[in-house]
Amino acid sequence: MGLSGNTANIKKNILQQLEILEEESFPRHLLVSPELAARLAVITHAIDREVAVYLDRHGKVNEVMLGDSNTTLLIKTQIRRSTSRLSGLRCIHTHPGGDSTLSKPDISCLYECYLDAIVAIGTLNGRVTTIQAAFIEPDYINETGKSQDKYRHYGPLDSEELEAFPFLDILMEIDRQIINPTLHELEIKQEKALLVGFKQQKGSLLNGEDSLIELEELAKTAGAFVYAKQLLNIDKPTPGYYIGTGKLKEIALYRQEHSLDLIIFDNELSPHQQANLQETLGCSVVDRTALILQIFADRAKTKEGILQVELAQLSYLLPRLTGLGASMSRLGGGIGTRGPGETKLETDRRHIRGRINDLKNEIETIKKQRKVLRQQRQENRVPVAALIGYTNAGKSTLMNTLTNAGVLAENKLFATLDTTTRRLKLKQTEILLSDTVGFIHKLPHQLIAAFRATLEEIKYADLLIHILDASNPAYEAHIQSVNAVLHELAADDIPAILVFNKWDQVADTVELSRNLHEYEPALPVSALTGYNIPELLELIQTCLPNQPTLVKLLLPFAQTSLLSRLYKEGEVLAVEYTEVGISCSARLTEPLLSSVKPYMVKEAPVN
Ligand code: GDP
Ligand code: MG
């Protein structure tokens, strides 16, 4: 990881931008996110050289490279090469002339490094023109010695086509066609699972049946094939096996007959119970907590998210290590046992404790950085609205509908793990809208602790947009779960709008409409069909404090640091490099507004 290439003569603020980039992650399902493309275009313009970013399959930046002014070849030489699989890295680089056509060296880089893809961004005067991409032809890997003339070419793509580009589908298709791939990151192994729920749910908002339905969604999200479900009636869990011996035998037999790989318990098992059950049932046994941890681990995207999940997993595993080590390694890497990596599990507890400490320190550092960012944001009063709500309520879908942000939305729990922030244009102003992690009942306490920092962001929002699935009969319990977490975060006095989403699916809209006034301000919408979306935008506008001002500026070329401040703290709408200076329009609030006073061309009225 790092920054390579000749960095002499590069201005400090650009170096800073490059350093920030090195630590970042981008949506892994996008070939290249429009945001990343725009930023690379600006950097390329500023240094007048080609820039390349290598992303791994999680979307995390692996390396940033700068070209010399006259070379066009940015080969990452240290890629570990295997001749039987792709490297798991894609190279995204700029073509300063504006022409995104892939060059011969680009294609040989694709083949020499076994890249997932090579992507060229045509850039002109700090803006993106078009984007083209090429993928390896799997035959090349299967039959060594094939020529490099054949490759899969896509583009030129404009920004809209880019967001719809099925990057992961293409990549998975190629991975599947490679005969001996050893890189399975994107492959979902389907384990045949039996779910075991319990009628009695002490201190829980959902009843046993609804809880089991939710467990099924969780299991699917984790990639399991739900073969069967059982709802048991158990008065008092036994300390040894949780369930009684009769039931135990029954399940053991059932598992054998139907050759199941996995049994998932809806209630939390003690380490002792889990070990005993695995021994007797002869397959992987996990509980709801392990399942949720697994899902978080699979979906963590940002550095902070990845660290937090590892911390939560290790805290969960630590008391479970004794007596479990042997059976875990025998069972291999299935759901709930994949954990933070088999090799790590084999190391001793002391090592894990050390790792837990390191993780805590790293997270603490990130937290401090986050605080600085938040302070900057607060000083500048760019209003922030946070989308919150029970998982699967439609937050990501609504975010997409509102902003065309291209946030991953799918019918799986926890499709969104990390916070994504996008701009949202309202009638009178622009705001930042952030999509947050979904809430869920019986959230493992390790995770509440781990994700506190992420959830804490909610506390600093100006407005909460609380979304619920109005078609789910348990919606009131969901509202209560969310409110309970808000209360715990001391965020219950932030103005909130209650959005009754999936209105298109509500069975009795007349009946539900009658109840809406209890939740004011509330609005029925459908993020899917677009029903009431304009009304929602208006409601957000009315509930928001503090509005920024639209200004047009002409900055001297020497003031590039001011320009980067505008990007960071304001809402830059357009930038043009003219002969007399950098012309730009932006929406700004105080105190930034005052600092740019000398460069204002005219103060346009807010439209
Ligand atoms: P999140 O977990 O809150 O971010 O939920 P998602 O946005 O990922 O949505 C979960 C599922 O609900 C997806 O399958 C969406 O297509 C679906 N969905 C979201 N909004 C609506 C809606 O208004 N109507 C219907 N019928 N489905 C919706
Ligand atoms: Mg989501």
Side-chain angles (χ1 to χ4, degrees), residues 293-404:
L293 286 171
Q294 181 67 62
I295 295 168
F296 272 84
D298 287 347
R299 302 205 161 231
K301 205 171 56 193
T302 60
K303 185 170 174 192
E304 185 181 16
I306 292 165
L307 292 176
Q308 284 176 329
V309 171
E310 190 180 347
L311 178 59
Q313 282 190 311
L314 291 178
S315 316
Y316 175 83
L317 275 174
L318 196 56
R320 288 172 163 74
L321 278 183
T322 27
L324 210 66
S327 57
M328 287 267 249
S329 47
R330 177 161 50 81
L331 290 164
I335 287 166
T337 58
R338 278 203 292 283
E342 277 74 58
T343 46
K344 277 187 207 137
L345 289 183
E346 282 150 24
T347 54
D348 65 349
R349 290 162 153 257
R350 200 185 304 155
H351 182 95
I352 290 184
R353 286 218 181 84
R355 179 74 189 141
I356 286 179
N357 266 335
D358 290 350
L359 285 168
K360 281 185 177 158
N361 288 338
E362 274 187 73
I363 291 168
E364 200 48 47
T365 312
I366 296 179
K367 246 185 178 166
K368 279 186 196 136
Q369 292 165 351
R370 195 191 263 283
K371 197 170 153 202
V372 172
L373 278 176
R374 194 162 56 219
Q375 274 166 355
Q376 284 175 354
R377 224 159 56 196
Q378 285 202 311
E379 276 165 23
N380 292 287
R381 305 291 315 137
V382 178
V384 177
L387 292 173
I388 59 162
Y390 209 72
T391 188
N392 219 37
K395 295 180 295 298
S396 300
T397 312
L398 187 66
M399 176 100 166
N400 278 334
T401 307
L402 291 176
T403 68
N404 280 324

Side-chain angles (χ1 to χ4, degrees), residues 388-401 407-416 435-438 467 469 471 500-505 525-530:
I388 59 162
Y390 209 72
T391 188
N392 219 37
K395 295 180 295 298
S396 300
T397 312
L398 187 66
M399 176 100 166
N400 278 334
T401 307
V407 181
L408 183 66
E410 47 185 318
N411 202 2
K412 284 182 172 179
L413 297 176
F414 293 120
T416 314
D435 183 11
T436 61
V437 56
I467 297 153
D469 177 353
S471 70
F500 284 73
N501 190 34
K502 307 201 189 178
W503 199 252
D504 55 297
Q505 294 277 62
V525 310
S526 170
L528 211 62
T529 68

Side-chain angles (χ1 to χ4, degrees), residues 28-176:
R28 66 166 208 169
H29 64 291
L30 294 179
L31 177 68
V32 43
S33 80
E35 182 207 340
L36 175 60
R39 281 166 60 184
L40 292 180
V42 170
I43 294 172
T44 299
H45 184 71
I47 62 175
D48 195 22
R49 292 199 229 161
E50 197 170 300
V51 181
V53 171
Y54 283 80
L55 293 188
D56 69 17
R57 289 193 178 186
H58 297 287
K60 169 123 195 51
V61 174
N62 179 283
E63 181 148 352
V64 178
M65 297 178 86
L66 303 179
D68 291 333
S69 49
N70 52 2
T71 35
T72 47
L73 193 62
L74 289 168
I75 289 197
K76 184 177 161 67
T77 44
Q78 357 27 346
I79 287 185
R80 195 167 52 116
R81 287 173 213 182
S82 151
T83 45
S84 67
R85 61 170 169 87
L86 296 176
S87 66
L89 292 174
R90 59 187 183 278
C91 171
I92 296 162
H93 73 299
T94 53
H95 281 183
D99 183 357
S100 63
T101 307
L102 291 158
S103 65
K104 239 192 146 84
D106 289 343
I107 298 301
S108 41
C109 178
L110 171 73
Y111 277 102
E112 262 167 61
C113 303
Y114 283 76
L115 295 176
D116 283 353
I118 179 117
V119 185
I121 305 172
T123 70
L124 201 62
N125 295 329
R127 285 197 215 161
V128 177
T129 56
T130 57
I131 292 176
Q132 298 193 40
F135 293 75
I136 277 182
E137 196 54 62
D139 276 354
Y140 175 77
I141 293 179
N142 294 335
E143 301 165 42
T144 38
K146 273 251 169 182
S147 83
Q148 303 185 356
D149 302 340
K150 266 178 64 189
Y151 51 90
R152 301 187 179 185
H153 174 252
Y154 298 89
L157 307 167
D158 63 24
S159 61
E160 231 169 70
E161 291 165 326
L162 185 63
E163 294 209 29
F165 189 78
F167 168 61
L168 282 186
D169 292 343
I170 294 171
L171 193 59
M172 279 198 265
E173 179 59 33
I174 293 175
D175 250 359
R176 268 196 292 271

